C-alpha cells in the first residue's frame, strides 16, 4: 500500500511531550473539509495537488477518492495507537456534488462518511443549497419531498454524526431582540474513556447568504463568527469543558506554491491571509485549535490567540484530495489541551492508495443505481478544456459554458452571458474516465461541471448597469480577491491588476459585439439564479428587469454539447481570450 505524503508539523512536539505519561491523554483529530460529494477522485487539474517533489521543486499529483481516503484514515489511526482518535469535518461535505451523489440527494455521501468513521461536522454554505428543511432531512432522515426514497421501500435514516450550526438562526420578529436558538446544535461534547471531555463548536461563514441562492436562506441569519465562538466557548467552559476545538467553515489563503509550504516562516501565521487569520486571532483563547474550510486551500499554521498563546489553524484541500492529522495532549488534571504538544500535518490521498473495502462497497452500490445515466454520451471534445482547475482568471471552460447559456436563452433575447467562477465545479478532460473512450463527454462528466441545476435568468441591463457589474469584479466584496466573471463571446474588456479596486477595470476598453459599451443602451444578459440574486457581491445584477427563465445551466450545457459536437467534429478548446489582463 502506498501512503500519503505528510506536511511538516506546524508545531513540532518537544522531547518532553514526545514521551507519553499518565498525566496526559494523547488525542488525534483526523480532519476533512469541502468534500462536495466527490466520492470519486476528480479528473484533471481540479483534482490535483501541488507538493514539494524529491528534488525540492513543486510537482502536481492527482488525488482523491473516498475509499482511498478511508484507507489512509485507517492507517493514520493505527499509526497513532494509544491516542484517542476522532474524525471531524468543517463543512461543505455535501452540495455541488457530482451525479453519483447528487442523483440521490447526497445520501450516498452520507453513507460513505459514516462508513469511514466521521464523528461530527460543522455546516458549510453548501449544506444550504436546498434550504434548511432539506438540511434537517439530511440530518434526521426521511424521503425527499419530491424525489421520494432513493432506495424503494427503504426510507433514508439521516446521519449517524451530528451537524453543528452555532451561528445559524431563524430570522427573529422585529419586536424580539434576543438572539434565537441555532437551527442545529451549536456544539458537541465528546467524553473520552478516561472521563476527559472535548467540546467542538461548529459554524459557517457569516457570508453564507451571499454564497448560495438567496431564496434558500432568506429566512435565516448567519451570525458573526467571533461573537458566536466566544459565546459558546464560555458556555462550554461553564460546563467544565476546557479542551475546545472550533470547526469553522471559513478559511484563508497560504502564500506557498505547494500544500506543504511552511506557513510560519517568519512567525505564527506569517504566510496565512484571509478571514480566518483575523477570526483565529480574535476569538476566545479558550479555543485550542481551529479546523477550517471554505477556501479549499491546504495549510497548517499557528495563529496567536488574544492571550498571546499559539494555536493551530488547519485546512485540507477540497474534494477529498488531502486530510489533516492533528495531535495534542490533554492534561488529565485540568482537562485542557497542552498547547506545546500540538502538531499537525496534511496527507495527500494519492491514486496508488488501495481502496478500503467497506467504503468501496458502499460507493459501488450507489454507482450501480446511476450507471446508465452517468455513462450516457452527451458530446465530444478535441482536447482538455480546463475550468475549475485552471490557474487563469478566465478559463476555456468558462468561455464554453457562457456560450452555451447564450444559445439556450436566445428565445428570451439573450446577447451576453456571465458566469461566476464557483458556477463551474470541475474540468472537461479528454482522457476517458471509464469505458466511454477518449474525447467522449458523458452525462456524469457534464453534471460534475454543472451540478447545481441552477435556473438561468435572462434580464435587461442598461449599459451603465453592465459596467457596474464588471466594476464589482474588483471592488466591494471582491476588492481583496477579484472575482473575474467568465464571459460569452460577444463581450470583451481589459483590466490592469496593478491598480486598486474598481479602477482595475479599463472602462474604455469594454466592447459588446465589437462596439463600445453605451451607458444608455440596453442589453439582454443571462446569468444563473445565484448571480441574478446578487451572489458573490454582484448586487448590480439585482437591478436587472424583464426577467425570464426557461432552462437550467446543466440543460444548456448538455444541449450545446450534443448540438455542436460529434466524434468526427469534436469541440476544440476555447482560446480564453475575452479578458485581457495587464
Amino acid at each position: 500500500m502506498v501512503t500519503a505524503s505528510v506536511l511538516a508539523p506546524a508545531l513540532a512536539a518537544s522531547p518532553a511531550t514526545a514521551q507519553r505519561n499518565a498525566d496526559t491523554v494523547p488525542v488525534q483529530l483526523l480532519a476533512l473539509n469541502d468534500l462536495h460529494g466527490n466520492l470519486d477522485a476528480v479528473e484533471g487539474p481540479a483534482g490535483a495537488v501541488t507538493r514539494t517533489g524529491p528534488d525540492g521543486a513543486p510537482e502536481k499529483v492527482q488525488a482523491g477518492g473516498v475509499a482511498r481516503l478511508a484507507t489512509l484514515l485507517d492507517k493514520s489511526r493505527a499509526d497513532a495507537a494509544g491516542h484517542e482518535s476522532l474524525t471531524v469535518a468543517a463543512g461543505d461535505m455535501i452540495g455541488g456534488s457530482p451525479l453519483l451523489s447528487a442523483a440521490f440527494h447526497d445520501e450516498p455521501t452520507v453513507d460513505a462518511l459514516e462508513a469511514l468513521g466521521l464523528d461530527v461536522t460543522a455546516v458549510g454554505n453548501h449544506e444550504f443549497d436546498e434550504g434548511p428543511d432539506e438540511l434537517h432531512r439530511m440530518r434526521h432522515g426521511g424521503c425527499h419531498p419530491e424525489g421520494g426514497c432513493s432506495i424503494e421501500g427503504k426510507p433514508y435514516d439521516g446521519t449517524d454524526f451530528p451537524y453543528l450550526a452555532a451561528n445559524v438562526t431563524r430570522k427573529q420578529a422585529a419586536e424580539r431582540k434576543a438572539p434565537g436558538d441555532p437551527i442545529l446544535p451549536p456544539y458537541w461534547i465528546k467524553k473520552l474513556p478516561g472521563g476527559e471531555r472535548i467540546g467542538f463548536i461548529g459554524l459557517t461563514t457569516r457570508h453564507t447568504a451571499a454564497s448560495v441562492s438567496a431564496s434558500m436562506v432568506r429566512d435565516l441569519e448567519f451570525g458573526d463568527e467571533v461573537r458566536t465562538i466566544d459565546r459558546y466557548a464560555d458556555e462550554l467552559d461553564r460546563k467544565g469543558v476546557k479542551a475546545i476545538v472550533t470547526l469553522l467553515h471559513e478559511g484563508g489563503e497560504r502564500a506557498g506554491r505547494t500544500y506543504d509550504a511552511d506557513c510560519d516562516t517568519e512567525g505564527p501565521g506569517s504566510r496565512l491571509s484571509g478571514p480566518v487569520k483575523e477570526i483565529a486571532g480574535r476569538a476566545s483563547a479558550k479555543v485550542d485549535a481551529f479546523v477550517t474550510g471554505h477556501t479549499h486551500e491546504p495549510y497548517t499554521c499557528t495563529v496567536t490567540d488574544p492571550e498571546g498563546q499559539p494555536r493551530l489553524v488547519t485546512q485540507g484541500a477540497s474534494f477529498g484530495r488531502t486530510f489533516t492529522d492533528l495531535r495534542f495532549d490533554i492534561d488529565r488534571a485540568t482537562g485542557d489541551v497542552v498547547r506545546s504538544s500540538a502538531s499537525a500535518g496534511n496527507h495527500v490521498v494519492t491514486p496508488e492508495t488501495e481502496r478500503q473495502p467497506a467504503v468501496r462497497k458502499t460507493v459501488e452500490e450507489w454507482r450501480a443505481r446511476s450507471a446508465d445515466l452517468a455513462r450516457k454520451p452527451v458530446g465530444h471534445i478535441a482536447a482538455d478544456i480546463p475550468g475549475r482547475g485552471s490557474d487563469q482568471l478566465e478559463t476555456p471552460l468558462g468561455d464554453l459554458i457562457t456560450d452555451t447559456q447564450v444559445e439556450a436563452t436566445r428565445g428570451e433575447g439573450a446577447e451576453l452571458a456571465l458566469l461566476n467562477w464557483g458556477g463551474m465545479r470541475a474540468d472537461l478532460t479528454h482522457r476517458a474516465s471509464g469505458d466511454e473512450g477518449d474525447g467522449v463527454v458523458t452525462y456524469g462528466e457534464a453534471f460534475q461541471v454543472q451540478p447545481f441545476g441552477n435556473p438561468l435568468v435572462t434580464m435587461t441591463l442598461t449599459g451603465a448597469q453592465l459596467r457596474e457589474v464588471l466594476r464589482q469584479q474588483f471592488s466591494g466584496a471582491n476588492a481583496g480577491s477579484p472575482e473575474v466573471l467568465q464571459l460569452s463571446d460577444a463581450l470583451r474588456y481589459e483590466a490592469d491588476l496593478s491598480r486598486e479596486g474598481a479602477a482595475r477595470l479599463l472602462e474604455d476598453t469594454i466592447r459588446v459585439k465589437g462596439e463600445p459599451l453605451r451607458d444608455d443602451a440596453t442589453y439582454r444578459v443571462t446569468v444563473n439564479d445565484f448571480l441574478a440574486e446578487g451572489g458573490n457581491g454582484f448586487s448590480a445584477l439585482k437591478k436587472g428587469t424583464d426577467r425570464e427563465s426557461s432552462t437550467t445551466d446543466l440543460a444548456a450545457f448538455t444541449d450545446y454539447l450534443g448540438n455542436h459536437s460529434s466524434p468526427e467534429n469534436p469541440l476544440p478548446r476555447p482560446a480564453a481570450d475575452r479578458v485581457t489582463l495587464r
Side-chain angles (χ1 to χ4, degrees), residues 117-436:
L118 184 63
D119 289 293
V120 62
T121 183
V123 297
N125 54 292
H126 282 286
E127 266 81 17
F128 294 94
D129 281 348
E130 296 185 48
D133 290 344
E134 174 63 2
L135 175 57
H136 273 282
R137 187 189 76 86
M138 296 305 297
R139 172 66 184 97
H140 299 295
C143 296
H144 192 273
E146 297 177 3
C149 295
S150 297
I151 303 175
E152 187 174 353
K154 184 181 178 183
Y156 167 66
D157 62 358
T159 65
D160 287 349
F161 50 85
Y163 260 110
L164 307 179
N167 66 333
V168 187
T169 58
R170 298 280 182 181
K171 288 186 176 177
Q172 304 301 301
E175 64 272 13
R176 291 185 60 187
K177 296 182 179 179
D181 293 329
I183 65 168
L184 289 168
Y187 55 77
W188 177 67
I189 300 172
K190 173 64 177 179
K191 187 175 181 179
L192 302 181
E196 299 80 15
R197 294 180 294 170
I198 307 175
F200 294 90
I201 303 169
L203 64 160
T204 184
T205 171
R206 69 179 184 273
H207 302 299
T208 290
S211 303
V212 297
S213 177
S215 62
M216 294 293 108
V217 295
R218 64 176 74 257
D219 297 325
L220 300 178
E221 292 180 336
F222 299 89
D224 178 81
E225 299 96 341
V226 172
R227 286 197 294 271
T228 300
I229 294 167
D230 289 354
R231 173 186 176 185
Y232 291 112
D234 287 345
E235 187 169 316
L236 286 166
D237 184 64
R238 289 194 297 271
K239 291 185 174 184
V241 179
K242 305 301 180 182
I244 302 174
V245 175
T246 291
L247 308 176
L248 171 63
H249 193 73
E250 179 61 281
E253 309 288 333
R254 87 251 191 258
R257 294 177 59 194
T258 63
Y259 89 95
D260 47 359
D262 185 354
C263 190
D264 300 325
T265 305
E266 299 172 6
S270 59
R271 306 191 77 183
L272 179 67
S273 61
V276 75
K277 186 171 185 178
E278 179 189 5
I279 295 167
R282 292 175 50 217
S284 173
K286 295 171 183 175
V287 174
D288 297 294
F290 282 78
V291 173
T292 72
H294 192 47
T295 53
H296 297 197
E297 292 279 351
Y299 49 75
T300 63
C301 305
T302 57
V303 173
T304 303
D305 73 19
E307 294 184 0
Q309 298 300 311
R311 58 183 168 193
L312 279 171
V313 180
T314 72
Q315 183 173 175
S318 59
F319 307 156
R321 293 175 291 161
T322 74
F323 68 95
T324 312
D325 187 335
L326 296 84
R327 302 187 191 187
F328 53 79
D329 294 343
I330 294 178
D331 187 300
R332 290 185 187 275
T334 65
D336 207 349
V337 171
V338 180
R339 293 275 185 99
S340 62
S341 70
S343 65
N346 277 333
H347 300 236
V348 179
V349 182
T350 54
E352 298 83 4
T353 306
E354 294 178 2
R355 293 177 173 88
Q356 199 241 48
V359 175
R360 181 177 186 176
K361 181 175 183 289
T362 297
V363 172
E364 294 308 320
E365 286 175 348
W366 283 106
R367 192 191 314 281
R369 298 185 180 106
S370 61
D372 289 345
L373 178 60
R375 288 196 296 258
K376 179 184 176 183
V378 295
H380 300 80
I381 56 176
D384 288 349
I385 303 182
R388 186 64 176 236
S390 174
D391 58 1
Q392 302 299 311
L393 294 177
E394 179 192 359
T395 71
L397 185 56
D399 285 6
L400 173 60
I401 292 172
T402 50
D403 288 347
T404 74
Q405 295 180 356
V406 170
E407 178 164 304
T409 56
R410 287 202 191 279
E412 287 76 55
E415 303 168 86
L416 310 170
L418 307 172
L419 175 70
N420 55 307
W421 181 276
M424 53 182 175
R425 307 300 293 185
D427 311 289
L428 284 182
T429 57
H430 184 264
R431 183 172 61 86
S433 60
D435 58 5
E436 73 275 10

Side-chain angles (χ1 to χ4, degrees), residues 472-504:
Q472 287 178 340
Q473 298 175 107
F474 310 106
S475 60
N478 299 316
S481 180
E483 167 78 23
V484 174
L485 295 167
Q486 310 299 293
L487 311 177
S488 61
D489 190 44
L491 184 58
R492 299 283 195 281
Y493 71 86
E494 298 180 18
D496 185 349
L497 297 185
S498 68
R499 299 186 179 191
E500 297 294 326
R504 290 168 168 166

Side-chain angles (χ1 to χ4, degrees), residues 483-565:
E483 167 78 23
V484 174
L485 295 167
Q486 310 299 293
L487 311 177
S488 61
D489 190 44
L491 184 58
R492 299 283 195 281
Y493 71 86
E494 298 180 18
D496 185 349
L497 297 185
S498 68
R499 299 186 179 191
E500 297 294 326
R504 290 168 168 166
L505 176 68
L506 304 180
E507 298 185 21
D508 59 355
T509 67
I510 304 172
R511 297 290 184 272
V512 179
K513 299 177 183 177
E515 299 295 324
L517 180 73
R518 291 175 44 211
D519 284 354
D520 59 351
T522 58
Y523 303 91
R524 292 290 283 170
V525 180
T526 295
V527 296
N528 59 46
D529 67 335
F530 168 69
L531 281 177
E533 294 168 346
N536 280 11
F538 291 99
S539 59
L541 286 170
K542 297 171 69 174
K543 301 175 183 176
T545 60
D546 302 320
R547 295 175 175 235
E548 297 183 62
S549 182
S550 61
T551 189
T552 67
D553 51 9
L554 177 60
F557 190 47
T558 56
D559 287 350
Y560 188 96
L561 291 171
N563 293 334
H564 292 274
S565 69

